[in-house]
Structure formats: structure tokens, C-alpha cells
Amino acid sequence: MATKRFMTLPRHIMEGEKEHPEATGELSTILLQLGLAAKLISLEVNKAGLAEILGFTGDENVHGEKVKKLDIYAHEMLIKAMDHGGHFCVMASEEEEDIIHLPPNQKIGKYVLLFDPLDGSSNIDANISIGTIFSIYKRISQGNGPGTREDCLQPGYKQVAAGYVVYGSSTMLVYTSGHGHGVHGFTLDPAFGEFLLSHDGIKIPKQGRIYSLNEGNYFSWPQGLKNYIKYLQSNLFEGKPYQARYVGSMVADIHRTLLYGGIFIYPGDKRNLKGKLRLMYECNPMALLMEEAGGRATDGHSRILEIQPEALHERTPIYIGSEDDVLLVEKFLRDGADRY
Ligand code: P6P
């Protein structure tokens, strides 16, 4: 392995490819293209306050939510960066109701890309960290024609790669190609516009000391979750209770959980039984990363990665982070018998 000091994303991907002779190099090219899109989105995000591109477009996305201009820019940038090169047969985005076909004149590939172009975008105006989340599968539909909804609705354990870009105090790209190949983080050096390996083989602590969820929804939670949070607040762990941290931007909250340990929760509650976060392009990619880093990700009872999707934008409750923390909340949920 080359010295880490200047291990750029391209070199890391090429080195990884050498270790896996079965790799066709196509996945490597896809990850490099995603890195390029991330740099371009990062440029816009980092100057958003100056570029007068803040504020609502007045449009609404497929979920009836007001859309910020940066959402559209990130969505369009990712499609432009990924819709040629002949790698994909179909794509899907949080910003589009239906699946996205490649332009008619483009070569059709064997991969499927799902993405949330700019998650946490409601935080843009407050300069809070936001992110891009991506999930990659191989097609399962027959033939070499355009991909189908079936290609986009695969359970998370079939992902061939997943990751996120967090646009924060620095821009970081974190990805895994699954199958024990580990989770690796790259920090963008703006001086020469390259992602440099900064976190090689991220592993999450088996237990943390931080819990992360929106406590404003307390009175809608299942009883077991209320009991769990009260337990964390009223017991001492190494002499003090757990600390509460909640950004309200999934990529930022997951990134901190991955590096520091603990648990991130977006539960189902009596108003929204399936919670808020999307299975295909938020929870599945984060679950693959977390399991690869030694953590755990469930809907409170079952592995996120084993959920058989039925709809492109379906939601799921998510309990994700350090293995011991997720196992403990599952016990409280069982004991609470999902009572409200
Ligand atoms: P709430 C951001 O809008 C988002 O989709 C995720 O990034 C974040 O984890 C969640 O919603 C925050 O939701 O209900 O706590 O504001």
C-alpha cells in the first residue's frame, strides 16, 4: 500500500482494485465520478451564502417540501456526472418521484444508482453541515435495455457500494464497497482539489456515550424508547450519563456516530409509524457503512439491510450505531412491547 500521506481517492481505489482481481474497474470509475460531483457540489455549498442562491425556489419536490436551489443543483450535478460513461442502467433520486432513465443516446451499463443529492438541506441557511448520500447496486433485470423499478427496489444487503459526502468544516467522502473491504474516509484538500485518505478503515466503538434523536417528539414515542432514553439519562456510564447530540442533518449525525460511537435514532411514532427517513437512499447506505464499520442498524427489531423494499420513497424507523447501544434499545423496545 502506498504511503498514506498522499493517498488520494483515485490511488486508494486503484490499490483496492489490485487486491480484488475480480473487480472490473467499473465500480472504481463510478466512485471517482462521484468524487468529482462531490467536489463541484462542495464548491457551491461552500459559497452558498455569497452566491445569492439561498432561499426557496418556490418549487416543491415530490414530497411537497419546499426545495432550495442547492438541492436542485446537487441533483442535476449528480445526474450530469453519472449519466454518461455507460455505467448505469437506471437511477433514482430523492428529488424525482419516478426512476430516472439514461438519455436515449447513452450506452446502458450494469449498475444502479440511488441518491439523496443534498440531505439536510433545510439547514443550508444556518450553515449547518449537510450531505449527499449514495447507494449502488448491480442490475437484476434481464437484458441490456434500460433498467427498471425492480432494479431500484433491492434489499440493502445487495448494495455493491455505498457512502456519503459531508459538507461541513471540511468536505469528506466516506464509502464502503462492502464484503469486509472496510469503510474509508477522504478529506478534500481545497489547495489542490483532491480527496486525501484521512480515515483508513473506520471502526465504530462497540459502545458509545452519545444518543442522538429529536426529543421534541418524546410524547409520540413508543414506551420502550421513552424507557431507554430515561435509562441513559439516569444511569452513570464511566461516572456520567450519556450525552445528547442532535444536528438534525442525518449525514452529520451519522458521521459523528461512526467516528465517536453511540446511537442515532429516527423512530416510528404514533403519528408516523414508519418514521421520516427513507429506506433506499438514506437508511440502506448508512446501514451498509455502519455494519462494515462493526456497528448495527435495525428498524428496532430487524436488520435494515434485509428489508424488502416495495416503494422507491418508502420510509423506515432506524436505530443505528454502536452494536451494544443498538442491541440495548432493541431490548427496551421488546420489553416496552411497542406500547405508546
Ligand atoms: P427532524 C433533514 O431534513 C432530514 O431529512 C435528515 O437529514 C435528518 O436526520 C432529519 O430530517 C431531521 O428530522 O424531524 O428531526 O427535523
Side-chain angles (χ1 to χ4, degrees):
M1 177 74 84
T3 59
K4 285 183 194 171
R5 192 155 162 267
F6 284 111
M7 177 56 81
T8 61
L9 179 62
R11 281 179 66 185
H12 186 271
I13 290 173
M14 300 309 169
E15 300 272 342
E17 219 177 274
K18 281 184 215 152
E19 287 167 28
H20 307 290
E22 77 284 0
T24 64
E26 201 168 3
L27 192 53
S28 305
T29 309
I30 289 171
L31 289 168
L32 293 177
Q33 288 289 87
L34 280 166
L36 172 63
K39 289 181 203 174
L40 294 168
I41 295 169
S42 172
L43 272 176
E44 290 306 308
V45 168
N46 291 335
K47 67 183 182 184
L50 303 172
E52 297 305 310
I53 61 173
L54 286 180
F56 291 102
T57 62
D59 302 331
E60 288 192 347
N61 67 12
V62 294
H63 315 296
E65 297 154 349
K66 286 258 184 247
V67 181
K68 297 250 180 209
K69 286 179 183 171
L70 271 178
D71 280 24
I72 296 177
Y73 174 82
H75 170 75
E76 292 172 352
M77 180 53 61
L78 279 159
I79 291 178
K80 262 189 263 180
M82 310 311 287
D83 73 355
H84 54 283
H87 306 300
F88 295 103
C89 61
V90 66
M91 295 189 235
S93 165
E94 195 248 5
E95 295 293 338
E96 292 266 355
E97 179 62 28
D98 209 344
I99 60 176
I100 302 167
H101 286 298
L102 282 297
N105 55 340
Q106 288 297 339
K107 179 171 167 283
I108 303 273
K110 65 183 179 193
Y111 290 98
V112 179
L113 174 66
L114 298 103
F115 59 94
D116 185 351
L118 209 58
D119 180 78
S121 54
S122 54
N123 295 300
I124 293 174
D125 291 6
N127 203 20
I128 289 169
S129 296
I130 53 181
T132 297
I133 310 171
F134 59 89
S135 169
I136 301 171
Y137 293 84
K138 274 199 180 144
R139 76 177 301 164
I140 50 174
S141 59
Q142 298 305 314
N144 300 317
T148 64
R149 290 178 67 80
E150 176 201 19
D151 289 312
C152 295
L153 294 178
Q154 300 180 53
Y157 70 85
K158 295 180 78 174
Q159 292 174 97
V160 293
Y164 59 81
V165 183
V166 52
Y167 310 101
S169 49
S170 63
T171 294
M172 267 194 77
L173 185 148
V174 178
Y175 88 93
T176 184
S177 51
H179 307 295
H181 299 159
V183 178
H184 310 289
F186 298 79
T187 301
L188 182 63
D189 183 330
F192 58 106
E194 274 292 357
F195 280 106
L196 297 180
L197 181 65
S198 51
H199 297 70
D200 187 12
I202 299 172
K203 286 294 177 195
I204 185 171
K206 199 164 180 316
Q207 183 185 359
R209 292 292 182 277
I210 298 171
Y211 72 89
S212 180
L213 78 170
N214 184 340
E215 297 196 63
N217 299 323
Y218 177 84
F219 286 100
S220 301
W221 291 347
Q223 189 56 48
L225 178 56
K226 291 178 182 173
N227 299 343
Y228 171 67
I229 295 298
K230 288 304 162 206
Y231 170 77
L232 297 184
Q233 293 168 339
S234 54
N235 279 272
L236 298 183
F237 305 84
E238 293 167 356
K240 60 183 184 180
Y242 270 48
Q243 303 296 301
R245 295 286 183 274
Y246 190 67
V247 180
S249 180
M250 185 188 196
V251 174
D253 282 317
I254 292 286
H255 187 60
R256 182 206 54 250
T257 305
L258 186 63
L259 296 184
Y260 294 176
I263 186 168
F264 171 79
I265 299 170
Y266 209 106
D269 63 28
K270 59 185 166 187
R271 291 173 304 174
N272 304 297
L273 288 177
K274 288 284 191 181
K276 174 181 183 183
L277 300 179
R278 311 288 181 170
L279 172 63
M280 295 313 296
Y281 42 78
E282 289 174 332
C283 297
N284 267 336
M286 296 307 198
L288 186 73
L289 282 166
M290 203 57 80
E291 288 198 2
E292 273 294 312
R296 183 176 171 80
T298 70
D299 60 5
H301 309 282
S302 318
R303 272 179 89 207
I304 292 283
L305 294 180
E306 290 179 3
I307 296 174
Q308 177 53 54
E310 283 155 19
L312 210 47
H313 301 288
E314 72 180 71
R315 303 170 195 264
T316 176
I318 184 167
Y319 298 74
I320 184 171
S322 295
E323 184 179 24
D324 291 356
D325 291 309
V326 178
L327 286 170
L328 183 59
V329 71
E330 288 170 10
K331 183 180 180 316
F332 273 86
L333 289 170
R334 280 195 303 275
D335 297 350
D338 273 353
R339 278 181 293 110
Y340 284 96

